[in-house]
């Protein structure tokens, strides 16, 4: 009986956790949706949120209702303004704070997920993988994307990571550069540590290989809202179930964006309203039916008309109008016409 109990304890779900990071109230909303999506898909694992000291008490309260553990951590900053400027993402400096996840040594194994990810089905099978398992980055597949990865908490590893940061810095100014530098043999050493892309599907890269998305996109288990414009940057009309807001980075697939907002408006906003009470707060939801037409027509209405030459240049620069003229439906329609 003792052996059986030992085996149970060794593989108990309470010894494993999904971990995310939110350094401010904006990313806290992403973490709330991520946590809810994990719960909705019946994970058996613990949920842990690492938060920064700037987060409001209200957001902390909601996170504590969703996550098993909410831990305040010091915000680390790479200070690498040169590389961050190259990426045009000065906000990524604080992502070094992600390294704190290795200090969660009361867990034997964890899966880290960025706060701008959304779970589409149960992914507990990721805990069968070993450190450092991750999916290839769509921009440079010999690097892994650090938005989803499997790791084993260890103070020794944490110390080595900090030492690596001190001695080598980060080639992109953020955590992804550090982690790829530290786990430098990921691309070649062990194929079992390469997660399929469906565990970290980039919402802004799905059209770069349209036939593959058409073939495999329906199997996606995790969508990652990469880029500067996050789901919470938009506005959602609760009556028409339409999304408005900045369409500058309109390449995010509208289906995934709608799924994020549907979960946020139905499960997270009521908790925020309960916490805030009569105090005003901006949920991002509006109750006015002001958005007539589809997401595609909305994007077209807000975008200035381009000449064919300008449109060609945008395509060559990887800036196609994915929610408007170059939407999935329009491209599919043209392909179908061509194939006929």
């Amino acid at each position: 009986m003792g052996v059986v109990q030992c085996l149970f304890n060794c593989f108990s779900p309470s010894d494993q956790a999904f971990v995310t990071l939110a350094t401010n109230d904006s990313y806290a909303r992403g973490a709330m949706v991520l946590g809810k999506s994990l719960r909705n898909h019946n994970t058996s694992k613990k949920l842990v949120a690492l938060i920064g000291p700037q987060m409001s008490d209200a957001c902390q309260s909601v996170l504590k209702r969703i996550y098993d553990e909410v831990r305040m951590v010091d915000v680390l900053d790479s200070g690498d303004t040169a590389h961050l400027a190259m990426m045009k993402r000065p906000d990524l400096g604080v992502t070094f704070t992600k390294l704190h996840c290795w200090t969660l040594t009361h867990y034997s194994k964890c899966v880290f997920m960025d706060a701008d990810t959304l779970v589409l089905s149960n992914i507990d099978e990721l805990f069968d993988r070993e450190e450092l398992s991750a999916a290839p980055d769509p921009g440079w597949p010999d690097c892994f994307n650090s938005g989803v990865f499997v790791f084993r908490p260890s103070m020794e590893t944490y110390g080595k990571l900090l030492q690596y940061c001190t001695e080598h810095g980060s080639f992109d100014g953020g955590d992804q550069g550090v982690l790829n530098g530290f786990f430098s043999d990921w691309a070649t050493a062990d194929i079992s540590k390469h997660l399929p892309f469906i565990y970290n599907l980039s919402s802004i890269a799905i059209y770069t290989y349209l036939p593959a998305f058409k073939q495999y996109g329906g199997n996606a288990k995790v969508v990652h809202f990469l880029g500067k414009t996050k789901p919470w940057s938009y506005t959602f009309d609760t009556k028409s179930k339409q999304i408005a807001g900045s369409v500058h980075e309109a390449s995010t697939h509208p289906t995934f964006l709608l799924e994020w907002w549907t979960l946020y408006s139905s499960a997270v906003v009521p908790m925020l309203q309960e916490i805030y009470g009569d105090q005003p707060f901006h949920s991002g939801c509006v109750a006015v039916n002001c958005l007539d037409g589809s997401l595609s027509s909305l994007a077209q209405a807000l975008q200035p008309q381009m000449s064919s030459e300008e449109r060609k240049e945008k395509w060559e620069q990887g800036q196609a109008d994915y929610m408007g003229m170059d939407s999935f439906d329009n491209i599919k329609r043209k392909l179908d016409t061509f194939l006929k």
Side-chain angles (χ1 to χ4, degrees), residues 109 125-131 133 150 192 194-196:
K109 188 186 290 184
E125 67 272 14
L126 286 179
F127 289 86
D128 296 334
R129 304 281 184 143
E130 285 302 323
E131 180 179 85
S133 292
V150 183
S192 70
H194 289 213
L195 298 181

Side-chain angles (χ1 to χ4, degrees), residues 193-268:
K193 294 182 180 180
H194 289 213
L195 298 181
F197 194 54
I198 58 171
Y199 288 102
N200 193 349
L201 178 71
S202 166
S203 65
I204 61 172
I206 57 176
Y207 293 102
T208 57
Y209 188 13
L210 185 64
F213 177 72
K214 186 177 178 181
Q215 177 75 10
Y216 304 114
N219 299 325
K221 289 176 174 279
V222 179
V223 61
H224 190 180
F225 296 97
L226 289 172
K228 193 170 184 178
T229 305
K230 301 302 181 186
W232 52 85
S233 303
Y234 295 83
T235 300
F236 183 67
D237 185 339
T238 54
K239 287 186 177 180
S240 67
K241 305 299 181 186
Q242 299 280 332
I243 297 167
S246 170
V247 292
H248 178 66
E249 290 184 30
S251 49
T252 295
H253 195 283
T255 301
F256 298 136
L257 201 55
L258 277 171
E259 189 156 345
W260 189 96
W261 269 98
T262 299
L263 181 54
Y264 173 71
S265 61
S266 63
V268 173

Side-chain angles (χ1 to χ4, degrees), residues 77-84 86-87 92-93 95-96 99 146 161 164-182:
D77 195 327
S78 71
D80 192 346
T81 54
H83 284 114
L84 293 171
M86 283 172 57
M87 297 175 65
L92 287 180
T95 58
F96 265 48
L99 302 183
S146 60
L161 279 164
Y164 182 90
C165 290
T166 302
E167 296 177 357
H168 304 283
S170 167
F171 67 73
D172 67 357
D175 66 273
Q176 185 159 302
V178 169
L179 293 176
N180 273 277
F182 187 80

Side-chain angles (χ1 to χ4, degrees), residues 43-108:
T43 181
S44 64
K45 312 301 180 182
K46 295 289 188 180
L47 302 188
V48 179
L50 303 179
I51 63 171
Q54 293 182 339
M55 188 178 295
S56 68
D57 291 341
C59 284
Q60 289 186 46
S61 297
V62 175
L63 284 172
K64 287 175 181 176
R65 292 176 60 177
I66 300 171
Y67 285 78
D68 297 292
E69 181 180 353
V70 177
R71 175 180 289 204
M72 183 85 70
V73 293
D74 294 328
V75 175
L76 303 175
D77 195 327
S78 71
D80 192 346
T81 54
H83 284 114
L84 293 171
M86 283 172 57
M87 297 175 65
K88 298 181 180 178
R89 294 295 302 280
D91 54 306
L92 287 180
V94 295
T95 58
F96 265 48
T97 308
K98 189 182 293 189
L99 302 183
H100 280 297
C101 65
W102 268 272
T103 66
L104 299 170
T105 53
H106 48 299
Y107 299 105
S108 64

